[in-house]
Amino acid sequence: SAQNRYLLLQHGRITHGFQLNDPEQRRRITTYYAEGSGIHEAITNFPRKLRRIGVVGLGTGTTAAFGNKGDYVRIYEINSEVKRIATKHFSFVNDPRQEGGTVDIIMGDARLSMENEPPQKFDVLALDAFSSDAIPVHLLTREAFQTYLRQIRPDGVIAVHISNRYLDLRPVVERLAAEFGLSSVCISEDSEANWWVYATTWVLVSRDKAFLEGKDIRAAADAPSVKSDGPLWTDDFASLYAILK
């Protein structure tokens, strides 16, 4: 039916997102970002109104739909072809009804962009560049996290999308959190309650332990890690071999 039609962006075996065609459903947040996902929990439970949201990795631009009127969404993307597709074929970024917030797409390597710009004071910073088998390791090192912490508010949240067929990134992210004395919680959504909801795993990291212990996030959270001795990735050392599934 027309109601169930959607536009999908896929590269190899990796789906980067899709959008429902029905005009009433176009802003529905689908796939890895849908209700129940860690990123959805972080943004919808965030206590401040008029939020500033940062995103590393554009995909189809789905995360732009988290921006309500008055919100600001800043998306970092390295691939100009991805930007072309997201802005030409999908309307999350260029919302035809202007129901969303202001969206900027910053082209180039996300880490370099953030290193070279003044603090953006993000409430939530989503790192969504790790779904393929060739991950940008330099975005998950101690030095990278130093940059992210400069870019978020003191009570801000870093949400890392770790769904990956080949690599278990959870111990890497948890070790980075521990390195900076941050709290973390892992949220796996595997109910796939509707066809537009994908199974997905996000790790939320924050200085604000109370936020991560709020009832909605606590209800969605996985059990704490049994072992917390993941490798500490730095710009000098990162081994994918250690975290192969």
Side-chain angles (χ1 to χ4, degrees):
S1 74
Q3 222 176 343
N4 282 359
R5 287 207 192 116
Y6 59 93
L7 191 60
L8 172 78
L9 176 61
Q10 194 163 20
H11 185 258
R13 293 164 73 183
I14 310 293
T15 296
H16 290 288
F18 65 72
Q19 183 170 31
L20 302 173
N21 283 357
D22 177 1
E24 295 309 310
Q25 300 281 331
R26 287 174 78 82
R27 281 184 62 77
R28 180 183 283 284
I29 295 172
T30 54
T31 65
Y32 314 106
Y33 318 98
E35 211 167 317
S37 69
I39 181 69
H40 203 285
E41 294 292 339
I43 291 175
T44 51
N45 286 297
F46 202 82
R48 248 192 308 278
K49 293 284 172 258
L50 302 185
R51 300 153 307 182
R52 292 180 64 85
I53 299 164
V55 184
V56 173
L58 173 63
T60 55
T62 312
T63 46
F66 281 118
N68 299 322
K69 255 199 176 12
D71 289 345
Y72 175 65
V73 184
R74 187 176 184 87
I75 304 175
Y76 300 88
E77 175 54 50
I78 198 164
N79 185 331
S80 54
E81 183 65 3
V82 169
K83 179 184 177 183
R84 188 187 69 79
I85 292 168
T87 51
K88 182 178 177 191
H89 297 289
F90 297 86
S91 69
F92 291 120
V93 173
N94 309 325
D95 175 9
R97 300 183 185 180
Q98 294 306 314
E99 295 172 89
T102 308
V103 181
D104 280 337
I105 300 175
I106 309 302
M107 294 306 298
D109 179 83
R111 181 173 155 188
L112 287 176
S113 297
M114 280 189 237
E115 281 171 3
N116 290 321
E117 63 190 16
Q120 294 297 313
K121 301 185 171 67
F122 294 127
D123 296 305
V124 179
L125 174 59
L127 307 181
D128 185 24
F130 310 115
S131 50
S132 73
D133 51 351
I135 67 164
V137 168
H138 73 290
L139 297 180
L140 277 183
T141 63
R142 181 178 57 202
E143 292 83 355
F145 253 65
Q146 263 165 335
T147 297
Y148 306 147
L149 288 170
R150 192 174 69 84
Q151 289 295 355
I152 65 172
R153 293 270 193 101
D155 62 346
V157 180
I158 300 171
V160 190
H161 186 198
I162 62 166
S163 310
N164 188 292
R165 203 183 290 265
Y166 310 101
L167 303 170
D168 177 16
L169 291 167
R170 181 176 176 180
V172 174
V173 177
E174 288 179 344
R175 179 66 196 275
L176 285 165
E179 177 75 6
F180 290 99
L182 310 169
S183 301
S184 68
V185 62
C186 187
I187 296 179
S188 298
E189 157 55 62
D190 38 26
S191 69
E192 303 194 74
N194 282 296
W195 63 270
W196 62 80
V197 177
Y198 284 14
T200 179
T201 304
W202 290 77
V203 179
L204 307 184
V205 177
S206 182
R207 297 183 185 101
D208 187 353
K209 195 170 187 199
F211 175 73
L212 297 182
E213 288 174 350
K215 69 171 179 14
D216 289 349
I217 289 182
R218 207 173 52 230
D222 300 354
S225 283
V226 187
K227 56 181 205 311
S228 57
D229 56 350
L232 177 64
W233 286 1
T234 66
D235 285 353
D236 296 326
F237 169 80
S239 165
L240 294 180
Y241 185 72
I243 60 158
L244 279 172
K245 285 182 175 171

